Amino acid sequence: MAELLAGDVLTAGYGAAIAIHNISFSLQEGEALALLGRNGTGKTTLINTLVGLTTRHHGTVRLSGRDITRLAPEMRAAAGIGWVPQERGIFRSLSVEENLTAVARPGPWTRDRTFALFPRLAERRASRSFTLSGGEQQMLAIARALMSQPRLLLLDEPNLGLSPKIVEQVLSAVRQLRDTGVTILLVEQNVHNALAVAGRAYVLETGRVVAEDTAQGLLGNPDLLRAYLGG
């Protein structure tokens, strides 16, 4: 597999406050990769750095070998980075269908294909987004990102605040995306949920990478899981 995304010694934060330190990583095309760690360890800051929303103090970001470090967020999106933030970022005053068509670009992901992935959205296509449940909003956020035809999908805590039943539905959809070759970078606190999707993961602590291994290797290292992930 060819390398799709890479970060080299990234140091970034918000203004003068540095939140991640000298982080290097790589993600192969078609791979599902997880970022693991407790709250406040820098996972979301790293995602925000990849989409261009932080103050970068050092390091570079490459997409298919192209240096995108200085690109504006909208140019990174145009280059193929799809982002589902924790806040979901849907247009609350628009209907489900309007949310999808508002960001649609030509490509393999169509309205009907996203409805097939999330049948509940098809049932609620005419509903205003503010009337959706939290789980339905998360489904819509993922569907919107797919309608932009991303080469890479960044998912920041997609299961946050959802019921166990809805978590399984979201994880099932993400696994389907992985199995169809969508490249995924997943931020998740629950190690078992993350490694049900990702084949490899980086573990962050105080803004630094402290471990990197396959899913099997991490699950077979209970001491590391207890030390950095609490489980």
Side-chain angles (χ1 to χ4, degrees), residues 98-165:
E98 288 168 341
N99 262 276
L100 298 178
T101 57
V103 298
R105 293 178 179 170
W109 284 100
T110 63
R111 181 203 62 181
D112 290 345
R113 190 177 178 192
T114 62
F115 283 165
L117 183 67
F118 296 113
R120 182 60 177 160
L121 295 182
E123 297 171 7
R124 303 215 56 189
R125 68 178 69 195
S127 300
R128 299 282 184 178
S129 298
F130 71 85
T131 69
L132 303 182
S133 69
E136 291 166 344
Q137 289 184 14
Q138 187 60 267
M139 295 173 190
L140 178 57
I142 296 172
R144 285 183 73 252
L146 292 171
M147 291 290 285
S148 71
Q149 316 301 332
R151 301 171 63 195
L152 167 66
L153 186 61
L154 308 179
L155 299 172
D156 192 356
E157 299 275 13
N159 300 312
L160 188 66
L162 303 183
S163 70
K165 179 180 179 180

Side-chain angles (χ1 to χ4, degrees), residues 60-77:
T60 59
V61 180
R62 299 191 312 276
L63 185 67
S64 290
R66 175 191 177 193
D67 188 339
I68 63 168
T69 309
R70 299 185 184 279
L71 287 187
E74 62 272 19
M75 296 302 295
R76 299 187 193 206

Side-chain angles (χ1 to χ4, degrees), residues 211-231:
E212 183 265 328
D213 206 343
T214 64
Q216 184 176 4
L218 287 169
L219 290 171
N221 191 341
D223 290 340
L224 184 146
L225 297 182
R226 280 193 293 270
Y228 295 113
L229 302 171

Side-chain angles (χ1 to χ4, degrees), residues 4-7 10 23 25-28 30-36 43-51 61 81-85 151-158 174 177-178 182-188 194 197-198 200-202 204:
L4 180 61
L5 181 73
L10 283 171
I23 289 182
F25 72 95
S26 64
L27 175 61
Q28 306 303 303
E31 182 182 20
L33 177 70
L35 298 177
L36 303 175
K43 305 184 303 297
T44 292
T45 299
L46 178 54
I47 292 290
N48 289 346
T49 299
L50 297 177
V51 297
V61 180
I81 295 180
W83 175 44
V84 181
R151 301 171 63 195
L152 167 66
L153 186 61
L154 308 179
L155 299 172
D156 192 356
E157 299 275 13
V174 176
L177 294 174
R178 174 203 63 194
V182 176
T183 306
I184 296 169
L185 182 57
L186 170 67
V187 170
E188 178 62 73
V197 172
R200 191 166 59 94
Y202 289 85
L204 273 62

